[in-house]
Amino acid sequence: MEKPMKKLFNSKETMADDMIDGFVAAYPDIVTRGADPRIVRRKNLRTHDGKVALLIGNGSGHEPIAMGFVGEGLLDANVVGDVFAAPSPDAILEGIEEVCGDAGAILLISRHEGDVINGNGAAMMAMDDGLNVQPLLMYDDVSSAPKGEEQDRRGAAGTMFMYKILGAAAEQGMAIDDLMTLGVDVRSATRTLGVAASPGVSPLTGDLMFTLPDDEVFIGMGVHGEPGVGRRKMGPVKDLVAYMLDALLDDRPIAAGTPTIVLINGSGGTTMMELLTIYGEVANQLGAQNIDLLSPMIGSFSTTQEMGGFSISLFTPTPHMLDLWRAPHKAPHFPHISAQGE
């Protein structure tokens, strides 16, 4: 049977390592490899001079998240796993040990089973070794658990708000307990819903991750191709956006006049033309409800290879959170945030 798409790599065994080689070679003034070659960390590490460390371990295949977000004002390190596979607890522990100083470290964990098990295991081992490490679970996908059971939801593209806001606050010297409180508040103010229009291809097998009729989309498809919660017929983007916004606002209503940040995330195979069209519809429909939109982010940041689709994230920041969202950074693949709405 003919494979649906060709992939460019040297070997399946070296995919992640070759990718890291290219990343470090491209941005040597910002990032470097750690003692373990799967650790990508900031070159100008400040965590041994009183800054709280911020890091995450996650599987590869979703780039630019999270390796592309290592840099000043964002992550201090990313421990990179194999394709769609969380790094081992031992590997994450090595990352913690490399960047954690006296101010402690926050280990971000996107809520997926392997990430949670291995991340919590690494944090426990680090604490047993006397390090001040606090794991912070990230979740925002409204399709993956009902309202009232938010703690059981998956991490999705809305975790971008956590990376940036906590990264900026840590850069400014915020203490670890205050950072944890801030992270919980950001998480509580974020909701995401995604759709998939066409499957990505596994770089390991060359096979489609799922099948879907040409005239349908999956509602709530996960970042690893996890099944969605339902299907919907293709139609005008405005109708799909209206359906998604209704679901998001039903889960967490936003009052008229509330400053709101919209994140439109492409799944990897969605063009900027499509993403901008989607944002335009979101802006029109939220504007009709007198919801004030500020400093949006539009692009493909948390991807599933070349899967067609997108997600909408809504975040209602406090003034301090908004300042942190707009704060300058030096991370290769995190975009510049506009000061729209000032």
Side-chain angles (χ1 to χ4, degrees):
M1 179 179 176
E2 185 178 355
K3 298 295 183 184
M5 183 172 287
K6 297 175 182 178
K7 296 280 187 176
L8 302 174
F9 57 87
N10 290 318
S11 72
K12 294 178 181 179
E13 293 74 24
T14 64
M15 278 182 186
D17 299 290
D18 292 344
M19 173 187 69
I20 295 170
D21 283 344
F23 183 67
V24 173
Y27 307 106
D29 56 327
I30 301 174
V31 298
T32 187
R33 261 196 162 108
D36 184 305
R38 287 293 185 90
I39 298 171
V40 177
R41 68 166 180 83
R42 283 175 56 173
K43 189 167 187 179
N44 62 332
L45 200 63
R46 295 181 49 232
T47 55
H48 297 294
D49 298 319
K51 176 189 173 297
V52 175
L54 188 68
L55 75 157
I56 188 171
N58 64 277
S60 55
H62 303 293
E63 290 71 35
I65 207 170
M67 185 176 67
F69 306 155
V70 175
E72 182 180 335
L74 274 146
L75 294 175
D76 292 293
N78 177 210
V79 185
V80 181
D82 290 327
V83 177
F84 299 162
S88 70
D90 287 339
I92 299 172
L93 175 62
E94 288 193 46
I96 295 170
E97 291 174 338
E98 184 150 341
V99 300
C100 183
D102 291 341
I106 292 178
L107 176 65
L108 298 175
I109 303 173
S110 187
R111 195 187 178 285
H112 299 277
E113 185 176 5
D115 298 80
V116 172
I117 292 171
N118 292 1
N120 282 334
M124 289 179 64
M125 289 190 291
M127 286 184 263
D128 287 343
D129 290 342
L131 297 177
N132 180 15
V133 178
Q134 298 193 34
L136 180 57
L137 204 58
M138 304 189 295
Y139 47 80
D140 57 308
D141 179 4
V142 302
S143 73
S144 54
K147 188 174 181 177
E149 299 178 18
E150 287 82 1
Q151 73 281 356
D152 295 327
R153 290 177 171 173
R154 296 183 299 229
T159 59
M160 299 280 289
F161 298 117
M162 300 274 276
Y163 291 115
K164 179 62 175 67
I165 291 170
L166 267 65
E171 199 72 41
Q172 293 176 10
M174 185 176 285
I176 189 167
D177 289 341
D178 293 332
L179 284 167
M180 289 292 292
T181 299
L182 177 62
V184 170
D185 290 343
V186 171
R187 184 179 67 195
S188 297
T190 305
R191 297 293 187 275
T192 298
L193 180 60
V195 300
S198 61
V201 176
S202 168
L204 297 176
T205 67
D207 294 330
L208 294 172
M209 296 179 188
F210 57 87
T211 59
L212 184 67
D214 290 341
D215 64 343
E216 292 183 356
V217 295
F218 264 129
I219 304 296
M221 178 67 66
V223 296
H224 304 97
E226 298 97 334
V229 295
R231 296 184 181 186
R232 182 180 173 88
K233 290 294 185 181
M234 290 284 291
V237 166
K238 63 181 180 181
D239 294 341
L240 181 57
V241 166
Y243 173 87
M244 296 172 71
L245 289 178
D246 283 348
L248 288 165
L249 294 175
D250 178 68
D251 193 88
R252 186 174 184 272
I254 299 176
T258 303
T260 300
I261 299 173
V262 174
L263 164 61
I264 305 297
N265 178 70
S267 301
T270 310
T271 66
M272 185 56 75
M273 176 183 285
E274 293 169 293
L275 297 178
L276 289 170
T277 299
I278 291 160
Y279 179 77
E281 291 297 339
V282 171
N284 287 338
Q285 295 181 33
L286 292 182
Q289 300 182 50
N290 296 314
I291 294 173
D292 298 332
L293 301 188
L294 308 172
S295 301
M297 195 161 85
I298 305 161
S300 295
F301 309 109
S302 177
T303 63
T304 308
Q305 296 296 290
E306 65 285 351
M307 186 170 85
F310 68 95
S311 62
I312 301 172
S313 299
L314 302 181
F315 170 56
T316 53
T318 64
H320 184 217
M321 291 174 184
L322 181 60
D323 287 343
L324 294 168
W325 176 245
R326 292 169 168 171
H329 69 84
K330 294 180 182 177
H333 293 155
F334 201 98
H336 169 75
I337 303 299
S338 76
Q340 176 200 341
E342 280 191 337

